[in-house]
Structures are given as C-alpha cells and as structure tokens.
Amino acid sequence: MEPAMEPQEPGGLLQVRGVEADDFLKVERHGMEPIPESDRHGSARELALVWAGAMANYLSLLTGALAIGAPLVLGLSQGQLGLLDSAIAIIIGAVLAAALHGLTSATGARTGTPQMVFARAVFGHRGAYLGALLTWLMAVGWFAVDCVIGGWALVQLASLAGLPRTPQMALIAITLVLILSVIVAIYGHQTVHVFEKYGAIVFMAFCLLLFVVLFPRINWGLPTTVRGPARLAAIVTGGGFIYALIASWIPFASDYSRYLPTRTRAGGIAWWAGLGIGLPTALLGILGVALATINPANPDLLSVISGAAPRWLLVPFLLFVVLGEIWANYFDVYTAGLVALAMDIPLKRWWSALLCGLVGAVGVFWIGLFSHFSFSEAQTYSELVNRFLNVYIDFLLLTYLWVPAWAAVLLIDFFVLRRGRYVAAELTRGPAGRYWYRGGLAWRAVLAWLIGFAVTIPFIGSATLPWLSQPWQGPLAHLLGGMDLSGIVGAVVSALLYLLLSLPARRRQAAPDPQSAASESAAGSQP
C-alpha cells in the first residue's frame, strides 16, 4: 500500500461536530456508497474512543464475570476459575480478537464503504450476501441482548424505590429500553461517534470509582477448583467468552472507519481500533470477575453490585448502565441498516436502521414469550436472569463461529494478495462492476470461508439445541476435554485454504505484459 500519513483535524480527539453530510444529532445522508473525500474527516486515534465507548458498558463486566463459571459450561457438575486464571483467560481472548478487529478496520478508509459492501471485492457481490445476512442477524441479536441488560438495570433501580423485582416488571423495563433504542436508530455515524466517545470516559470513571469503593470486599484469593486438562479447557472457554464478544464486532469494523481520509495509515487504524476495543474490554472483564468474587455463587452480577455498593454510587451507576446499553444499540441498529443496504434492499439507510430496530424489538418479545427459553415461564426474577444467561452464553459461543473464518479470508485478500488496491466505485456497480466475478461469486473466497466454517463445528465446546435435552458438544472438543477452539481453527483453515486456492491464479496473473498486469492489480481483480 502507498505511504500515508495520519491526518490531523482542528477539533481534537473529543470534537463533536462532523461534516454537513454527517453531523451530530442529524440524520446521516450517506448510505452504502463510497464516502467522497470531501466528506471524510477525523483521525485514526478517534477510533480508540469510539470502540472503547462501544465496549464501555455493563455487558463487558458481565461477560468477564462469566469466566468464573467456565467449568460449568464444560459440563462439569461443579468448579470455578479463580481470579488469576480468569484474568489470564480474558487477556488472551481480548488480544486475539482485538488484533483481528483492528486489522479489519483498516479496510474502511481504503474504500470509504461499509464492511459488507467492501466484502463484495473479496467474496463477490452476491457472495457477500450470506455474510451480510449473518451480520444482520447478529446485530439484531445484540440489539436484543442490550435491551435486556438495560431492562435489568431499570429493574434494579425500581427495586431501590420499593417496586418488586418480578419477571413482569423486567418485561416492562425491557420494553421501555426498546422504545428509546428504536427512537435513536435513525441518527448516523457522527452521532454514534460523539455519544460513544464521551460515554466511554464517563462509564470508565464510574467503574474506577466502583472498584475503589468495593475494593475491601473483593475476594482477591478466589481459587481455581479444577485441575489438569479441565483447568486448561476452562481457561480457553473463559477466554472464548471475551473473544466472542469482541469478534462479533468484526463484521461492523469498517462501518466506523470509512469516514477517515483515504491517506490515513492502515497501521494506525489497526492499532487504534484494536487498542480501543481490546484494552477496555479486558480491563472491564477483569473488573467484572473481581466484583463477582464478592458473591461468586450469584450469577447475576448486577444484583451482586446492587447489594454491595452504597446507594449514592449505585443509582448513577445503574442509570449509566441503562444509557450505555441504549447507545450500544446505536452500533447494532446503525450497522444493521447498512447491512440491509448491502443486501440490495432498496431502502434509505435511516429507514433500514429503523426497520432493523423494530425487528429487533419483535425478536426480544419472541424470545421472551414464545421460544423454548421463554422468560415468561420464569417464576422469579432470579430464574429469569438464569434463563437469559444461558441464552447469552450460547449466543456468544455460536455467533462468532463464522466470523473469524470470514475475517481471515478478507484479511488475506486485503493485506497479502491485493495489498489494499481496490477500486471503490466498482463496489456498487452490480453486474457491470469489476467485483461481480462469475455470477456474482468469487468462488475461491466463498469456498475457503465455508470450508473453514464447517471445520469449526466439531470443535464447538457447548451449544444448546432445541431438540436435545442436554447441550451438544462437538466430537473433537470432547476429545480435548471440552476445549472450544472453533474460532481459532476456522480462521487458520480459511486463511491457508484461500492462499492455496489463490496461488494458481496469481501465477497466471504474472503475465509478460506489464501494462495488463498493472491494470489488474489496480482494479483488484479476483486472485
């Protein structure tokens, strides 16, 4: 890739205003088309606070706290990971996933397009549809999760005012968070950036204060009670929770780097985006474990915090948890809207975002009332929380199965095969464009991804299937003591396979005509 410098802008890292087409508290004008250079703004450093804001919420605390119970996810009847082992698991998972996320973010500034539109250059126009559909479903799923978490915080606040903690009260609270989240769905890129940047700072300040106040009650000596292979498998599973949390954002990555000027260094984007999403997730995850040690027998971390923190701190903290989940839904619904456009659904971005928010709301109530997880059957609030945590763990471990393999193919194409050379205008030209390939499919990339995805299935550590009374475990994961290596295996297999499949085509492209070769390289023809 050509040398590039880090652009600097006069507003600083915490500036609020964007450009006319993408300003704070205004409906964004751009959809899936490449962002023109005149509307590009910001610097790579801003991505750190944007992604920190996305992860600076209660969900990171909760997901980290799940590491303590990783032995139970493996199917053991009892056992826990201690504070130190949980922290090691969280750090490893965060580093691996943040590296993938940061590298994927680098594709945004190069073409100025959303992630799933850029994917057309790698998988073909139609070949990108499957990844877009899975991303849309994942975004809607995260929307539902964030609404439930926000509803929990409202229930805890209501209980401080003397209202009962019941499943019915929880559904009312979730509905309120849903309504607020859908209302904000129509706003765009700059609005997301502003709320995430400032929200990250405030939430991290709350967490630091919470840590200081509750420091004497943390059980720093909480031990690991499993040994040998089971301990290693539990560490991998605990790290897998955080890995999955971060990796699930990878298909959204360039949606928030596409407004950066084209000359922005890919290395700078990768570093700041990776640091922004990885560091706060790891810190908050470890804090979640530390707070959970106050009462490790209670899986509801919010209840543990509510029972231990003084009211002067608890009330503003819970309020900010609610706000944090609502602005996290900015990301979910904003990207879902862009993904729908990438699937050639003819709607304006903000209409598409609004529709996705409404579909997410329907999904929340379907899961809560009619699915086999049915929250409505819970007799107590604690039972409702346990039901949701089981759903959430399955969501974490299953939704990221396809992402690492998909990202590996995309990164091999961007950094190794084409080295960032793409023609952005061709990404939205359909059958007339360079990236239509054969029938809309780049078969080498699609095949490498799907084979890598298929290879992950035997490595799944645990999955709840409606037709089975017990969680299902892949045969190879069983041989490894329940260790879930699915995401890592899928990424390695897809990357290597895509390289091997592309070698013959690369040799054929080494034609004696230098003008032809240069033309193919610049156009980004399928390797």
Side-chain angles (χ1 to χ4, degrees), residues 46-334:
E46 292 183 32
L47 292 175
L49 278 179
V50 169
W51 286 111
M55 309 312 293
N57 54 49
Y58 172 74
L59 200 55
S60 295
L61 292 172
L62 173 65
T63 306
L66 293 176
I68 291 179
L72 303 180
V73 176
L74 295 174
L76 301 178
S77 59
Q78 57 184 357
Q80 66 184 20
L81 279 184
L83 181 56
L84 179 59
D85 281 348
S86 295
I88 292 172
I90 288 168
I91 292 171
I92 293 173
V95 169
L96 291 176
L100 274 179
H101 176 86
L103 292 171
T104 308
S105 296
T107 65
R110 187 63 55 187
T111 62
T113 57
Q115 195 69 69
M116 285 300 154
V117 174
F118 171 79
R120 294 173 175 177
V122 181
F123 299 98
H125 190 105
R126 289 174 172 167
Y129 282 175
L130 179 58
L133 176 62
L134 292 171
T135 301
W136 189 88
L137 292 173
M138 194 162 61
V140 171
W142 279 117
F143 179 90
V145 167
D146 289 328
C147 287
V148 172
I149 296 294
W152 280 3
L154 280 181
V155 169
Q156 295 292 341
L157 278 170
S159 69
L160 295 177
L163 296 176
R165 293 195 308 170
T166 64
Q168 293 75 22
M169 180 63 70
L171 287 175
I172 293 173
I174 291 169
T175 301
L176 181 57
V177 175
L178 274 168
I179 293 171
L180 293 173
S181 296
V182 171
I183 288 174
V184 303
I186 64 171
Y187 292 104
H189 169 275
Q190 183 64 12
T191 303
V192 175
H193 271 236
V194 171
F195 277 111
E196 295 297 342
K197 284 190 290 188
Y198 288 97
I201 295 171
V202 176
F203 186 80
M204 294 300 279
F206 267 119
C207 287
L208 178 60
L209 187 58
L210 197 66
F211 173 73
V212 171
V213 171
L214 297 183
F215 185 90
R217 302 193 60 176
I218 294 173
N219 181 5
W220 296 103
L222 185 75
T224 296
T225 58
V226 289
R227 299 289 181 266
R231 178 188 179 192
L232 179 60
I235 290 175
V236 171
T237 300
F241 295 146
I242 291 293
Y243 180 92
L245 178 63
I246 295 176
S248 64
W249 290 99
I250 289 174
F252 307 175
S254 79
D255 296 2
Y256 305 97
S257 58
R258 66 193 179 114
Y259 272 91
L260 293 176
T262 306
R263 67 185 185 275
T264 309
R265 287 191 311 110
I269 295 173
W271 168 254
W272 289 111
L275 183 69
I277 201 169
L279 181 61
T281 306
L283 292 176
L284 289 173
I286 293 171
L287 176 59
V289 172
L291 295 175
T293 65
I294 296 173
N295 184 6
N298 185 357
D300 182 7
L301 180 62
L302 209 54
S303 294
V304 173
I305 295 172
S306 298
R311 181 166 294 202
W312 63 264
L313 175 58
L314 181 61
V315 171
F317 174 77
L318 290 175
L319 283 171
F320 216 77
V321 168
V322 177
L323 292 175
E325 298 308 321
I326 291 173
W327 69 56
N329 276 335
Y330 272 134
F331 273 82
D332 304 326
V333 180
Y334 177 79

Side-chain angles (χ1 to χ4, degrees), residues 457-471:
I457 295 175
F459 289 91
I460 295 175
S462 176
T464 300
L465 302 175
W467 56 88
L468 296 179
S469 58
Q470 297 294 327

Side-chain angles (χ1 to χ4, degrees), residues 335-372:
T335 283
L338 291 175
V339 167
L341 296 177
M343 291 189 287
D344 293 325
I345 298 174
L347 290 174
K348 290 184 178 180
R349 186 210 61 80
W350 68 272
W351 266 111
S352 182
L354 185 59
L355 177 62
C356 292
L358 294 174
V359 172
V362 172
V364 170
F365 286 107
W366 182 84
I367 293 173
L369 299 175
F370 304 113
S371 74
H372 69 286

Side-chain angles (χ1 to χ4, degrees), residues 3-19:
M5 62 181 182
E6 187 72 45
Q8 300 296 326
E9 294 226 350
L13 192 61
L14 297 178
Q15 63 179 328
V16 172
R17 300 304 301 272
V19 294

